[in-house]
Structures are given as structure tokens and as C-alpha cells.
Amino acid sequence: MAVQRTDPYIWVTWLTKLLAGEAMCEWSSWFRAHHKDYDKLPADFDLAGWTIDHRELVNARREQLLDAGFTVYIEDENAFKRIGQTGIVVSGKPDILAIKDGVGVIEDCKTGRPRTSDQLQVLVYMLLLPIRNPRVEGVSLSGRVAYKTNMVDIPATGLDDTFRTRFVDLVRKVGGDKPLPKSPAWAECRWCDIGPADCLYRVSEPPESAEAETDLF
Ligand code: SF4
């Protein structure tokens, strides 16, 4: 049964699809931010297969960066938790932090098709990971998304006022007291693990085809 959290707790990946406009159900992020131990449904997702693929990609990138002379930190070594003045906690765990000669790169490894949210996720890491973090003090940081066949570099200029404002506004909404709207849709519900005890609006089937003939054109 869902237990209300004492303080709102937000995992970075609960924000980035909303930031990118790739997800519309704000309620699912709001609910997770405010509750733990809720009844979970198995998501329609091959977690074991993803974990193996992701691990291989992270290991391959680590080897390449080590060969290039970087000091490399991976996953749990990069875990952070930032507590705002509002009491809202935002946590994340970048796959890779690589540093060499005062220059650092935060990488996230993605095995799926490229999405805008991948880049926004790295930007959030670039914003939050350096806060009171002696490991990157004085280090000039940029970001990168590493896919299986290509990489996308993310310059520090991406951390502009527009991005910061959108990020802070969304953290305040998701971490705020007021429940956010639900947007039930099969494309999102199929990946959502919130069970019927907490959400009765799940769409479990793909929509009927919206195809129809018209004489308008
Ligand atoms: S099941 Fe669907 S409507 Fe319910 S919280 Fe999840 S995404 Fe939103």
C-alpha cells in the first residue's frame, strides 16, 4: 500500500520526459514524488535485456575513456541527492563522469532510439552534479549522450536561463502539494508501474484505429 513520503523525492528521469514533452501524465511523476511502496504492476519492459545491453555500453565507454587518459567514475560513484530550500529532494545517477586535465564530461549511455529527453537528462546532471561536489571543483564540465552507434555532445551553454527556469518550475510542480493532472493514454500507461489501487485510469489497450475516409479534400 502506498505510503506518503515525508518530503517529496524526485528521480531525475521522472522529470526529463515531461520537460521534453514526451510524456503527458504529470500525475504519475507527482504520485511517485509523494509516495513510496505503492502496489506496482510489472511494466511492459524487458528489464533484464535492457540491463545487460546498458551495462555493456557503459563498460565499453569506460574502456574508451580510460584508454584516452581520463579518470572515470561510473554509476553509484556518481549518485547525488540535492535537497532544495523547499524540502524537495532531486536524485540522480549519471552513468559516467570522466575527468582529465581540468576538463570533465558527464555521459549517459542509451541503448534505445535517441530522444530529446536523453539530452535533457544529461543537462539536469550537469546542473545538479557539481553542486558542493569536490570531485568536480574547478573542472570545466560538458555532457554527452552515448548511443550504440553514435554520440551527441551537449555543451555547457545548454544550461541557459530558459532551461534552468523550466527545470525549477517543473521540480516545484512535481514536488508541490497540489496533485497534477492525469493523462491516461496507452502509449504512456503501458510503461507505467502504478497499479489500480492508486490509478483507476489506466488505458490497457492500444486505441482503435482513428482512420476514416473524408470528402473534405
Ligand atoms: S496508469 Fe496511466 S493514467 Fe495512471 S498514472 Fe500511469 S500513466 Fe498516468
Side-chain angles (χ1 to χ4, degrees):
M1 199 178 81
V3 175
Q4 190 148 2
R5 296 181 189 274
T6 317
D7 292 308
Y9 180 95
I10 304 171
W11 196 246
V12 167
T13 51
W14 301 346
L15 299 171
T16 45
K17 283 195 169 58
L18 291 175
L19 269 176
E22 294 165 3
M24 299 306 291
C25 187
E26 295 179 336
W27 189 87
S28 67
S29 295
W30 177 86
F31 177 78
R32 290 187 182 95
H34 291 268
H35 299 85
K36 59 183 180 180
D37 301 336
Y38 57 89
D39 293 335
K40 291 186 181 174
L41 287 182
D44 184 6
F45 179 65
D46 176 11
L47 181 61
W50 176 85
T51 304
I52 292 166
D53 277 2
H54 181 255
R55 166 61 51 201
E56 276 180 5
L57 188 52
V58 171
N59 285 344
R61 283 300 300 148
R62 174 168 63 175
E63 290 306 312
Q64 288 163 5
L65 288 160
L66 285 171
D67 287 349
F70 285 85
T71 302
V72 182
Y73 305 91
I74 64 164
E75 298 186 330
D76 285 343
E77 294 178 287
N78 301 323
F80 63 80
K81 189 173 170 185
R82 301 291 176 250
I83 305 156
Q85 291 172 331
T86 52
I88 300 171
V89 177
V90 180
S91 268
K93 190 163 65 172
D95 287 329
I96 290 175
L97 168 64
I99 301 173
K100 178 183 168 186
D101 301 332
V103 174
V105 61
I106 296 173
E107 277 196 19
D108 219 57
C109 298
K110 299 291 184 193
T111 55
R113 67 182 171 85
R115 294 172 192 270
T116 304
S117 55
D118 302 339
Q119 296 177 42
L120 295 178
Q121 186 178 338
V122 172
L123 274 172
V124 175
Y125 292 156
M126 290 161 64
L127 180 66
L128 298 184
L129 182 128
I131 296 172
R132 295 176 189 260
N133 185 341
R135 186 174 285 162
V136 291
E137 212 171 273
V139 173
S140 172
L141 275 178
S142 64
R144 187 180 292 139
V145 186
Y147 298 101
K148 282 181 171 178
T149 55
N150 67 309
M151 288 189 269
V152 175
D153 288 324
I154 302 166
T157 51
L159 290 177
D160 57 17
D161 289 345
T162 304
F163 173 78
R164 286 169 194 264
T165 302
R166 285 187 182 150
F167 171 74
V168 170
D169 287 350
L170 186 59
V171 167
R172 288 189 175 148
K173 270 174 75 178
V174 171
D177 292 338
K178 186 177 160 197
L180 297 176
K182 282 184 179 141
S183 299
W186 181 72
E188 286 187 47
C189 296
R190 63 186 296 221
W191 306 113
C192 179
D193 66 357
I194 299 172
D198 297 299
C199 178
L200 292 172
Y201 294 86
R202 170 175 296 275
V203 177
S204 304
E205 300 286 337
E208 294 286 317
S209 169
E211 192 176 295
E213 290 184 3
T214 176
D215 58 4
L216 278 171
F217 46 83

